[in-house]
Amino acid sequence: MKEIVTVKFKADGRGYYFDPVNCKPKVGEQVVVETANGLGVGQVTEPVHEVEDEKIVSPLKRVLRVADEKDLARIEENKRLEAEALPICEKMVNELKLDMRLVSAEYAFDGSKITFFFTADGRVDFRELVKKLASHFHTRIELRQIGVRDKARMLGGLGICGQPFCCHRFLNGFQPVSIKMAKEQGLPINPTNISGSCGRLMCCLKYEQNSYEYLASVTPPVGATVKMGGNIGTVVDSNPISGNLMVRFNGNESAPTKCKREEVQLISRKRQNNNSPKE
């Protein structure tokens, strides 16, 4: 077992383990830590606790200190510099007529690097842009292409549900979603209704998919043959969520009978001939 502390560098990012050494930071405090790219500042999301050795990725980086006033002032200064750097980079992009759309700029804590995030439809030759940026800012420059989902996660906003984007608020990663999920959940296959602000299928289609799959597996579908009270009939309407069925029993041409899935016995999920004998 090893004592660690969990730190996040972004509110929507994943948590990383660090060796607290002799530091005992509290949840919510900012700490200065060692990273593969130099010094970084993150927020403690879990206090010092023990985890199994196999869950730790070596080498375990250290927490150097709880951020003091000087460190916090540096963070605020970096935010100011980021806001100034973005329009400068945008101007250079326009001058070079590059087909790319800037999203944000991010200064390293110690000012040793500026990372510019952008989206583009294809690959972009930004070598000349990097030279111009390095000449202007006199520091190391990194340009990182991201997808439209990552852009939404970084910038945030409100979804069609009226809530802040899930990806910006709490998701640590993107799960695969598909049109098949929308169909299985009975949603209209209309891009406007099932797409998020990023233009991709909504992440929340994944949330209840396991439940829909389970309910669909225990609910006779339309066309299934079922038995109830000695009579055999065909399901003409099925609602997996409520469990309600509409069944037309053989030999009965009147309105279908409403029943619950628990009240019927499934004979076949496939449609059978209407002249099946009564039992």
Side-chain angles (χ1 to χ4, degrees):
M1 300 290 282
K2 176 71 175 178
E3 276 197 345
I4 61 95
V5 62
T6 306
V7 176
K8 277 188 177 184
F9 296 99
K10 295 182 180 180
D12 60 325
R14 59 171 290 192
Y16 295 89
Y17 291 159
F18 287 89
D19 183 351
V21 193
N22 296 319
C23 184
K24 299 291 183 181
K26 300 176 182 178
V27 172
E29 284 187 322
Q30 300 278 349
V31 290
V32 180
V33 299
E34 295 177 337
T35 75
N37 296 317
L39 298 184
V41 176
Q43 186 177 56
V44 176
T45 57
E46 291 182 286
V48 177
H49 61 285
E50 291 186 341
V51 298
E52 298 174 358
D53 292 339
E54 51 267 28
K55 293 184 178 180
I56 297 175
V57 178
S58 297
L60 188 63
K61 301 294 185 179
R62 299 181 302 163
V63 175
L64 300 180
R65 62 183 181 273
V66 175
D68 55 24
E69 291 185 2
K70 184 178 179 181
D71 295 322
L72 297 178
R74 183 59 182 268
I75 295 172
E76 292 303 315
E77 175 65 9
N78 285 347
K79 290 180 180 179
R80 185 186 66 80
L81 293 174
E82 289 166 359
E84 293 179 354
L86 197 60
I88 293 173
C89 185
E90 286 179 338
K91 181 180 179 181
M92 293 182 182
V93 167
N94 293 332
E95 290 174 350
L96 295 172
K97 298 181 180 179
L98 296 176
D99 186 16
M100 55 191 291
R101 294 164 292 281
L102 291 176
V103 176
S104 66
E106 184 178 287
Y107 262 80
F109 173 68
D110 57 4
S112 61
K113 181 179 71 171
I114 311 175
T115 302
F116 293 94
F117 297 89
F118 71 95
T119 61
D121 295 330
R123 297 189 64 178
V124 179
D125 184 357
F126 47 69
R127 288 174 293 182
E128 187 64 28
L129 175 62
V130 171
K131 292 179 183 178
K132 294 189 68 172
L133 290 170
S135 175
H136 181 90
F137 291 106
H138 303 290
T139 189
R140 194 153 57 97
I141 301 296
E142 179 180 345
L143 272 80
R144 188 178 302 176
Q145 185 171 353
I146 61 174
V148 290
R149 280 187 163 187
D150 293 298
K151 177 182 177 180
R153 178 169 62 179
M154 293 179 70
L155 298 182
L158 295 179
I160 60 175
C161 60
Q163 296 291 320
F165 294 161
C166 296
C167 58
H168 183 72
R169 191 166 30 139
F170 62 85
L171 288 183
N172 291 328
F174 295 111
Q175 296 294 320
V177 289
S178 65
I179 289 290
K180 180 184 176 183
M181 293 180 180
K183 292 179 179 178
E184 291 176 345
Q185 295 176 29
L187 297 174
I189 308 304
N190 183 327
T192 303
N193 295 334
I194 60 176
S195 298
S197 298
C198 62
R200 299 292 188 265
L201 293 174
M202 294 187 296
C203 295
C204 53
L205 289 174
K206 179 69 174 178
Y207 297 168
E208 299 176 351
Q209 181 61 21
N210 291 340
S211 297
Y212 275 95
E213 290 177 353
Y214 169 74
L215 291 174
S217 71
V218 299
T219 305
V222 173
T225 302
V226 296
K227 178 180 178 181
M228 186 175 75
N231 294 319
I232 294 178
T234 302
V235 177
V236 296
D237 190 38
S238 174
N239 188 324
I241 303 301
S242 65
N244 291 330
L245 303 174
M246 297 298 289
V247 181
R248 189 181 300 280
F249 290 99
N250 296 344
N252 186 352
E253 299 302 326
S254 61
T257 301
K258 182 178 179 180
C259 54
K260 303 290 287 187
R261 60 175 163 241
E262 296 84 4
E263 299 173 339
V264 303
Q265 176 186 348
L266 178 65
I267 295 177
S268 173
R269 299 182 75 87
K270 297 181 180 180
R271 188 183 301 273
Q272 296 185 357
N273 294 330
N274 291 333
N275 55 7
S276 299
K278 282 189 179 181
E279 292 187 10

